[in-house]
Amino acid sequence: MSCSTFNLGGGSLKFCSINKGSQIKNHLRFFNGFVPNGRCNLVSNSAMSFSVGSLSFSSLPPPDFQFHNRSRFSSHVINCSTFNSEASISSNKANDERVIVLVIGGGGREHALCYALQRSPSCDAVFCAPGNAGISSSGNATCIPELDINDSAAVISFCRKWNVGLVVIGPEAPLVAGLANDLVKAGIATFGPSSEAAALEGSKNFMKRLCDKYGIPTAKYQSFTDPSAAKQYIQEQGAPIVIKADGLAAGKGVIVATTLEEAYEAVDAMLVKGAFGSAGGRVIVEEYLEGEEASFFALVDGENAIPLESAQDHKRVGDGDTGPNTGGMGAYSPAPIITRELQSIIMESIILPTVKGMAEEGCRFVGVLFAGLMIEKKSGLPKLIEYNVRFGDPECQVLMIRLESDLAKVLMATCRGELSGVSLDWSPGSSMVVVMASKGYPGAYEKGTVIRNVEEAELVAPSVKVFHAGTSFDSEGNFIAVGGRVLGVAAKGKNIEEARDRTYRAVEEIRWSGGFYRKDIGWRALEKQFSLK
């Protein structure tokens, strides 16, 4: 690897060429995170041009120069325009206000957020901590793997050093731990609820009690810490029945038991064997609702709420919605089941009462409310299954590739309590994402398997975008799998059929012997579309 370095005030710019066989991989690298006064765009292929503040650098590429990511960089080089990193982000609401953003997290959801923020006209630069190999190589954000996101003081120090004006917290764990509390106390605008408000996801018992108090429709339930009492209640109610760990369990703490024996085993796994640690110290035993699940998202500024476009994910690991629950094996947007009429019902009966109830309980909610809903078969009406207090994964991916509004500006309005009157623009048609996971997921899986042809997949259609969740680099610069859910291959289309076709054609381009994916993502939407023809 050969590199050239330019010292630029508070940081330095490094351009590196990594020799890999006959191919040269070229990466723009930033020491200390990013060029302090620069913003990168792509222009012509005649020369390298870097303009940073009042300084500019140019050089002709070597004769055998090839860009690593051909889908984004062929016939282009990098041109850096300027912004003033020394100026702090003011609190005025001028239309030309610009902001530097830090995204907390390192999964597919965070990659999608970085992708949307990088396209935001009001966003000057995007950091992601810790990020992942795909986020850094895509150019969607500058990754800061060394920043400890569990250390509030370190995050605050980083924000002050780099004049970060907005922090977007992706995962639920830092929210429940109180990162947003500390950032807001330090005067840093933060998209994400306080630890008190994050209890909506951190404790299903808290959420259920809120529903009881404020008349929010949800499934009948009881909570238990004693396994014998839980089993007695299960016997009285009968199967099928749902057993949930009270706390955070990475999307895996829900067992839909079809028999009493399965339900008893789930109770023992959580309360006796500690399968989910402290998250399973209390269980919620809930009635089984028959119908269709849907994901509903709303931005909330403490008092006001506006809905996002609808989405629907596939939780079960296997085709035909079979096998154990996962964090999500794919999603699509919009969800045909969420009509405009139903959206209004959801806002009036579930979202707005929750926002009001949280404020009355002394824990105003600021961020995104993600309601997991069941649209009951017998009534056609929604019931709340659970709340998440962050964007869903993989739903975030299908929403962000459809979003046409300035995400940074909208999130700042949310943080300031200024959502009233805000509207969002979305691309027409549909979007879909298919998750590629390591074989064995959601159980034990192998790490370190090589993934090839990711760049080729993005050439299938202009709308294809591959979001990375669990990837890293090996010593030769290849992508390798280091997680359960590894890639999210997404695409847009004029309808669900076209989005599905483009997505699966891109999936089939990727060469990864250690992975698998569902082949029927979107089947409910397709079934509805065909039934209307």
Side-chain angles (χ1 to χ4, degrees):
M1 180 175 71
S2 61
C3 299
S4 299
T5 303
F6 304 102
N7 293 315
L8 304 167
S12 55
L13 171 69
K14 176 183 271 192
F15 181 76
C16 298
S17 293
I18 304 173
N19 292 300
K20 182 193 169 192
S22 60
Q23 183 186 35
I24 296 179
K25 291 189 175 183
N26 298 276
H27 299 270
L28 185 62
R29 298 288 175 87
F30 305 117
F31 281 94
N32 297 325
F34 77 119
V35 183
N37 297 304
R39 178 179 174 86
C40 294
N41 297 300
L42 302 175
V43 286
S44 72
N45 65 350
S46 59
M48 279 292 160
S49 173
F50 304 109
S51 174
V52 185
S54 60
L55 304 175
S56 62
F57 306 92
S58 297
S59 65
L60 290 171
D64 56 351
F65 182 88
Q66 295 180 39
F67 281 97
H68 171 38
N69 194 330
R70 293 185 295 279
S71 64
R72 283 182 290 274
F73 295 142
S74 59
S75 301
H76 296 85
V77 296
I78 303 169
N79 175 65
C80 298
S81 58
T82 66
F83 65 86
N84 182 6
S85 71
E86 299 303 321
S88 60
I89 303 301
S90 65
S91 61
N92 66 57
K93 307 171 189 65
N95 289 332
D96 60 352
E97 179 185 10
R98 303 179 67 81
V99 67
I100 298 170
V101 184
L102 169 63
V103 175
I104 299 293
R109 167 185 48 229
E110 289 74 39
H111 192 175
L113 290 169
C114 290
Y115 168 75
L117 287 164
Q118 189 221 5
R119 295 184 301 156
S120 297
S122 64
C123 184
D124 261 334
V126 186
F127 293 109
C128 188
N132 63 45
I135 295 173
S136 61
S137 66
S138 69
N140 294 139
T142 300
C143 293
I144 317 294
E146 65 275 14
L147 180 58
D148 183 359
I149 63 174
N150 298 309
D151 183 346
S152 294
V155 176
I156 291 167
S157 176
F158 179 88
C159 291
R160 287 175 173 161
K161 178 178 180 180
W162 296 107
N163 293 311
V164 171
L166 171 65
V167 176
V168 179
I169 302 175
E172 60 274 21
L175 292 167
V176 173
L179 178 58
N181 302 57
D182 296 334
L183 288 165
V184 170
K185 187 177 180 181
I188 299 167
T190 303
F191 181 82
S194 65
S195 59
E196 294 81 7
L200 274 175
E201 178 171 1
S203 170
K204 293 178 178 63
N205 190 52
F206 174 88
M207 183 273 287
K208 286 289 194 178
R209 287 190 289 108
L210 189 85
C211 289
D212 287 346
K213 186 171 181 178
Y214 293 96
I216 299 164
T218 188
K220 185 176 72 171
Y221 78 102
Q222 288 290 335
S223 62
F224 299 93
T225 56
D226 175 56
S228 298
K231 291 176 184 178
Q232 178 64 37
Y233 180 76
I234 289 168
Q235 186 177 33
E236 293 168 1
Q237 300 301 312
I241 198 163
V242 182
I243 317 299
K244 297 180 177 180
D246 178 53
L248 299 178
K252 301 169 190 172
V254 178
I255 306 297
V256 180
T258 57
T259 66
L260 291 178
E261 289 71 24
E262 286 180 15
Y264 298 154
E265 288 174 8
V267 168
D268 285 339
M270 295 179 194
L271 292 180
V272 179
K273 300 176 183 177
F276 299 106
S278 59
R282 176 187 296 272
V283 299
I284 309 299
V285 180
E286 190 175 85
E287 72 169 312
Y288 174 79
L289 298 177
E290 188 177 1
E292 188 171 340
E293 290 189 45
S295 302
F296 191 90
F297 298 87
L299 298 180
V300 180
D301 68 4
E303 296 181 7
N304 307 293
I306 60 172
L308 302 183
E309 275 287 85
S310 62
Q312 192 165 40
D313 76 333
H314 295 259
K315 287 290 187 195
R316 298 298 187 105
V317 72
D319 288 353
D321 291 330
T322 58
N325 275 333
T326 71
M329 294 300 294
Y332 54 92
S333 173
I337 187 107
I338 305 292
T339 62
R340 291 301 173 192
E341 179 185 6
L342 192 56
Q343 181 187 82
S344 296
I345 293 171
I346 294 165
M347 288 295 293
E348 293 298 323
S349 66
I350 295 176
I351 301 297
L352 294 176
T354 299
V355 174
K356 180 181 178 182
M358 291 295 283
E360 290 186 9
E361 293 298 311
C363 44
R364 293 171 73 253
F365 189 96
V366 176
V368 61
L369 263 182
F370 166 15
L373 304 174
M374 179 66 75
I375 313 304
E376 280 202 286
K377 185 176 181 179
K378 60 184 179 182
S379 67
L381 294 175
K383 281 189 176 181
L384 180 65
I385 299 174
E386 64 180 7
Y387 266 131
N388 296 311
V389 297
R390 35 68 188 182
F391 284 103
D393 185 344
E395 295 96 335
C396 187
Q397 289 85 313
V398 292
L399 292 175
M400 291 303 108
I401 64 172
R402 290 191 60 209
L403 181 68
E404 294 185 342
S405 297
D406 185 327
L407 180 62
K409 184 178 290 187
V410 171
L411 298 188
M412 285 297 290
T414 306
C415 295
R416 291 171 174 160
E418 298 170 358
L419 272 183
S420 180
V422 170
S423 60
L424 300 174
D425 296 321
W426 303 89
S427 65
S430 299
S431 58
M432 181 178 288
V433 64
V434 172
V435 170
M436 301 185 75
S438 296
K439 288 179 179 177
Y441 175 81
Y445 53 84
E446 183 182 357
K447 295 183 179 181
T449 53
V450 174
I451 306 166
R452 304 186 191 277
N453 277 35
V454 174
E455 295 87 354
E456 285 76 3
E458 291 192 322
L459 294 174
V460 163
S463 67
V464 172
K465 174 68 179 176
V466 179
F467 295 108
H468 290 243
T471 62
S472 186
F473 288 118
D474 66 11
S475 58
E476 296 182 352
N478 298 306
F479 286 122
I480 57 172
V482 293
R485 293 186 298 163
V486 177
L487 298 174
V489 183
K492 293 188 292 184
K494 63 180 182 289
N495 52 38
I496 189 67
E497 289 174 281
E498 185 172 74
R500 183 186 187 280
D501 176 65
R502 289 174 172 179
T503 301
Y504 275 104
R505 282 197 289 125
V507 167
E508 288 162 6
E509 283 291 325
I510 294 173
R511 301 289 176 260
W512 179 27
S513 61
F516 77 99
Y517 57 91
R518 279 185 58 167
K519 298 176 177 62
D520 65 343
I521 300 301
W523 69 267
R524 288 183 184 274
L526 287 163
E527 194 175 73
K528 280 188 171 59
Q529 183 167 299
F530 290 133
S531 69
L532 295 174
K533 289 184 176 180

